[in-house]
Amino acid sequence: MASRKRQFAVNVGMNWAATAVSMVVPFFLIPFVVRHLGAGGYGVWILVVSTTAYLGLLDLGLRSAIIRFVSKAHAQNLLDDARQAIGAALWLRASFSALVAVLAVALAWLSPHFFKIPPELMRAAQITMFLSALGVAVTLISGVFGAVLAAVHRFDLLSSITMAQTVFRAIGVLLILQSGRGLVSLAVWELTVITVAGLALTLTAFKVFPASRARVVRPTPEILKPLWSYSLTTFVFIVAVQVIWNTDSLVIGAVISVGMVTFYSIGSSLVSYSAQVAGAISTTFTPMASGLEASGRKDDLQKMLIRGTQAMLGFTFPIAIALAFRGRTFIGLWMGPQYAETSEVVLQILMISLFFSMADSAASAILMAIDTHGPVARWAVYEAILNFGLSILLAKPYGIYGVAWGTSLSMAFTHLAFYPRFVNKSLGVPAGTYLWEGWGKVSLCSIPFAFVCAYTDRAWHAPNLLVFFAQILLCLPAYLLCILAMFRRDATAIFLARRTA
């Protein structure tokens, strides 16, 4: 038990470190990129990334299936089963990678017909789209070995490679743009970094888990059937999530203009960074929940749901509240005053979607881990359809604000209608308990912090980002004191249990 807790702590710590790097590096890099590429060039880059992200759907949920089957086989020391699952996944991923290479050509040719790309950027956009799609093909294959490392609880190694990849990518971007090069050079560098990182994942998996040296052969039906039955449901969920989070930029580029993608992406990127902070914890839930479910420890699963939900919101709220009430100041200091007003409104609207996404992220991870994620995937599809429809419907009359409202309203409706009832049905946690213990307590603790942030923004102007972050730190005790007061009994119980141990 102690070793499991230590490994969990190491995994979470390394995930947080990787998350910090993946947040801090783009934080300083994005203004630099926007200045050198301009709003139009950066808008094209965002469109390319958003479009090629859909090619990653050809994973078909195999990553989750690999984690589930390999972690189970590893725990039971059934290395042949693990080797067969990895070999089957590699065969399937290699086939899909070949398909992606063909689709890369089609996307490059068709992109000028789908998006309102300025004529002077059209050729560069086509080449960038092609190279970015090839990067997805490489990721599909190397991602098998990333899933293996996750399955054997080596998030420390996985996070280390991720951090190195982020840092080297950033260094290359700085040098490329400083030398006067543009989109095509960025795409070449991105493909190079992805390939090197993929090789690192492969070699690391070979060393840590020798069973990953599997033969890449066509899998038998006996191997393929259980892999598909799990992965296809996950695939439906992943497709829906991609539509929910990546369609907005495409709608704006197609209905409004490429230039407005930049304004929207500034606000949405801050929401994404906030989600990554809590996501560093949620990624470790799946293998842990699978083990608890296999051991029949339903009580521990219920505790994981409540504590996990509290942790997701607890780590997200300080960032979300600070950005929601001080977004204009922050964006003005970060990106420039020309982006502050418009991007702040987008950010504030999308904060609604961030709350519901984080509130149910622990539940989603646990339900997928115990193979009860069919309804989760179905409701995610409902949300994606509603999101896409509302975004298109509201885009023309309300511009990028309408697109943001389409995302937030659809997420609020589906999450309120589905998750509280389904966690009761699947895990035996009453909806009232889930909403109060999981959502309510932490939400109440954020109210004083919100008032302090709003007052500070009006009374104390921040001349630079250093002062801005110092102000946030000075306001943070208002949140931490409320957390301690709300959860004092839980903290006391943990402290006494450790002293007794």
Side-chain angles (χ1 to χ4, degrees), residues 26-177:
F27 173 79
F28 290 103
L29 194 62
I30 288 176
F32 179 83
V33 175
V34 172
R35 284 197 300 270
H36 281 75
L37 292 181
Y42 186 71
V44 169
W45 180 258
I46 294 297
L47 282 177
V48 168
V49 172
S50 299
T51 302
T52 55
Y54 282 96
L55 295 176
L57 295 176
L58 288 173
D59 165 62
L60 298 180
L62 281 172
R63 176 180 170 81
S64 297
I66 295 166
I67 292 175
R68 176 173 172 80
F69 287 101
V70 173
S71 61
K72 183 178 179 181
H74 177 59
Q76 298 174 344
N77 202 30
L78 299 174
L79 298 184
D80 285 339
D81 289 354
R83 191 176 292 109
Q84 289 176 350
I86 294 168
L90 281 170
W91 187 86
L92 290 168
R93 286 282 190 95
S95 303
F96 298 145
S97 293
L99 176 60
V100 168
V102 175
L103 292 175
V105 178
L107 280 175
W109 179 60
L110 292 172
S111 56
H113 303 284
F114 286 138
F115 305 115
K116 298 177 181 179
I117 300 174
E120 66 274 13
L121 294 173
M122 193 170 296
R123 183 64 175 171
Q126 288 180 302
I127 298 173
T128 302
M129 186 76 75
F130 174 73
L131 294 174
S132 182
L134 289 184
V136 175
V138 174
T139 301
L140 283 174
I141 296 176
S142 63
V144 172
F145 301 103
V148 169
L149 292 175
V152 297
H153 303 278
R154 294 311 304 268
F155 289 95
D156 52 341
L157 298 175
L158 191 58
S159 297
S160 298
I161 294 172
T162 301
M163 285 189 283
Q165 181 178 355
T166 302
V167 171
F168 280 108
R169 176 191 288 123
I171 292 172
V173 169
L174 289 172
L175 294 176
I176 287 168
L177 294 181

Side-chain angles (χ1 to χ4, degrees), residues 23-32 35 42 265-267 269-270 273 323 327-337 339 343 464-465:
M23 290 174 61
V24 171
V25 170
F27 173 79
F28 290 103
L29 194 62
I30 288 176
F32 179 83
R35 284 197 300 270
Y42 186 71
S265 69
I266 290 170
S269 66
L270 292 174
Y273 295 153
L323 290 174
R328 182 175 303 190
T329 300
F330 176 76
I331 293 171
L333 294 172
W334 177 41
M335 296 297 300
Y339 298 103
S343 296
N464 54 58
L465 285 173

